[in-house]
Amino acid sequence: MTQEHSCNLHFEDNDYASRLFGDLNRNLQTVEKAAGVKINVRGNDVNIVGDEHEVKLASDLLKQLYSLIGKGYPLYSSDFAFGLRILESTPSASLDKIFLDKVYVTTQHRVISPKTKNQKTYIDAIRQHDIVFGIGPAGTGKTYLAVAMAVSALVNNQVRSIILTRPAVEAGEKLGFLPGDLAQKVNPYLRPLHDALNDMLGPEKSSDLIERGVIEIAPLAFMRGRTLSNAFVILDEAQNTTKEQMKMFLTRIGFDSLAVVTGDSTQVDLPIPKHSGLLEAKRILQNIDGIRFCSFSKEDVVRHPLVQKIIEAYEKRK
């Protein structure tokens, strides 16, 4: 029979402790369920009971999140699950170095910051390299963080424009069968990029910057023949580019520009015998200075907790 261990914690500041515990101690209940421990609360004192590993994990999490609150971090309920995941894989990890890395603050005053070690690596890579590839499953924040970095660069006058692009449809960008004019045909495929911008800038400011041409959202086919200078360029859903399209995109990059390419190598929808330009780029560009490849896994999923389980189920099926 496994021996139970116990740990007592005291949190000095009433306000910080209240924010840490959450309304009706909901945050502590989240920790109980995720870490498999029992937490008892009396005032600002917490007693954690369970297996030795789980007790240490839960206590480290609470102490680090309490410290973050004291440093001005706006703690979110989702941070408890993200923090546990990080500390479970790397017990010596410092949540300060990850969560306090502010990428951008939205119009709703919500702080966008990395939530996993791989997201932190990705953000640092974008800061340090001219071309970065983010490859991994859905929900890992590849595109959202890239857009946040682009908006931050624009706001801080590091670039003059943002260009967001993706293959308009999965196989060859054939839009003729859709109703409406060209804009109406293309818009559904670019909607996720609009959503990210609206979330960060607000619909009015986002629309204004798009109307003025400061932000451009267009299908990949529209990039041909252009030179993209002094811009932050993002190619999304890159697994559905052909080899020719990928080469075309990468050779558009001009002076003083940054490019981020995102994609999920497990969701290639190109018809046989076409091959993914993303997979070819990963094979032939790995060792070029100035280009960085960042990988994400199911552990980096920051959507609903069920998304991670869905990815795991499909991986087992394969």
Side-chain angles (χ1 to χ4, degrees):
M1 185 174 180
T2 305
Q3 183 180 358
E4 277 196 341
H5 285 73
S6 177
C7 174
N8 295 309
L9 300 176
H10 174 72
F11 300 101
E12 194 69 36
D13 188 284
N14 291 332
D15 180 54
Y16 295 174
S18 176
R19 288 161 60 188
L20 180 69
F21 298 169
D23 293 337
L24 302 176
N25 296 332
R26 284 197 180 93
N27 292 337
L28 298 182
Q29 292 167 16
T30 297
V31 177
E32 279 187 317
K33 185 176 180 181
V37 296
K38 177 64 178 174
I39 299 178
N40 301 298
V41 182
R42 177 172 290 181
N44 289 0
D45 294 309
V46 168
N47 172 252
I48 308 172
V49 180
D51 291 342
E52 183 177 12
H53 171 72
E54 283 75 15
V55 168
K56 186 178 186 312
L57 182 66
S59 69
D60 285 350
L61 174 74
L62 293 179
K63 286 187 286 188
Q64 289 206 45
L65 292 180
Y66 178 80
S67 174
L68 279 166
I69 294 172
K71 294 175 182 177
Y73 179 76
L75 190 67
Y76 303 107
S77 58
S78 56
D79 290 329
F80 289 82
F82 299 145
L84 273 175
R85 201 182 303 171
I86 293 169
L87 293 175
E88 197 159 23
S89 62
T90 311
S92 62
S94 171
L95 299 184
D96 283 29
K97 294 180 180 179
I98 299 173
F99 289 178
L100 287 180
D101 186 349
K102 289 184 181 179
V103 176
Y104 186 71
V105 180
T106 71
T107 52
Q108 291 79 32
H109 305 291
R110 186 168 55 83
V111 177
I112 298 174
S113 63
K115 300 299 183 184
T116 71
K117 288 177 64 182
N118 284 336
Q119 286 191 353
K120 170 63 174 170
T121 299
Y122 180 55
I123 291 301
D124 288 340
I126 294 173
R127 290 176 175 138
Q128 298 163 12
H129 297 78
D130 290 336
I131 299 177
V132 174
F133 286 77
I135 303 175
T140 51
K142 305 180 301 293
T143 302
Y144 193 80
L145 286 174
V147 174
M149 289 293 287
V151 171
S152 177
L154 181 68
V155 169
N156 292 312
N157 297 314
Q158 295 172 311
V159 296
R160 287 204 303 262
S161 63
I162 296 174
I163 299 173
L164 309 174
T165 185
R166 66 190 302 185
V169 290
E170 291 79 2
E173 299 185 341
K174 296 177 181 177
L175 306 173
F177 68 93
L178 293 171
D181 59 24
L182 184 58
Q184 292 171 323
K185 293 172 188 286
V186 167
N187 191 59
Y189 298 98
L190 305 176
R191 189 72 250 171
L193 300 174
H194 282 280
D195 291 342
L197 285 173
N198 290 342
D199 190 37
M200 293 171 203
L201 296 170
E204 290 185 11
K205 187 172 182 180
S206 176
S207 297
D208 176 60
L209 291 173
I210 291 172
E211 286 180 15
R212 288 162 46 198
V214 176
I215 296 177
E216 179 183 353
I217 306 178
L220 181 59
F222 288 17
M223 299 298 112
R224 189 173 299 278
R226 299 176 61 184
T227 300
L228 309 174
S229 299
N230 209 326
F232 197 117
V233 191
I234 299 173
L235 169 58
D236 190 32
E237 295 290 334
Q239 75 274 7
N240 289 327
T241 61
T242 63
K243 294 186 291 185
E244 296 78 14
Q245 286 175 323
M246 179 61 76
K247 181 181 177 183
M248 179 272 291
F249 171 79
L250 292 174
T251 54
R252 299 307 93 204
I253 310 303
F255 289 107
D256 300 318
S257 285
L258 304 169
V260 178
V261 179
T262 68
D264 181 354
S265 56
T266 68
Q267 294 192 21
V268 177
D269 297 308
L270 294 171
I272 298 173
K274 291 186 177 181
H275 298 286
S276 171
L278 178 65
L279 299 181
E280 182 186 60
K282 187 177 180 181
R283 284 194 299 269
I284 67 177
L285 302 179
Q286 280 276 11
N287 299 318
I288 295 181
D289 288 340
I291 298 179
R292 174 72 185 274
F293 285 81
C294 296
S295 297
F296 296 87
S297 67
K298 61 180 181 292
E299 282 75 25
D300 298 300
V301 171
V302 291
R303 289 181 182 169
H304 192 286
L306 280 176
V307 174
Q308 186 178 7
K309 295 179 180 179
I310 291 168
I311 293 171
E312 288 175 354
Y314 274 96
E315 285 181 351
K316 289 178 181 177
R317 177 69 180 270
K318 285 186 177 181

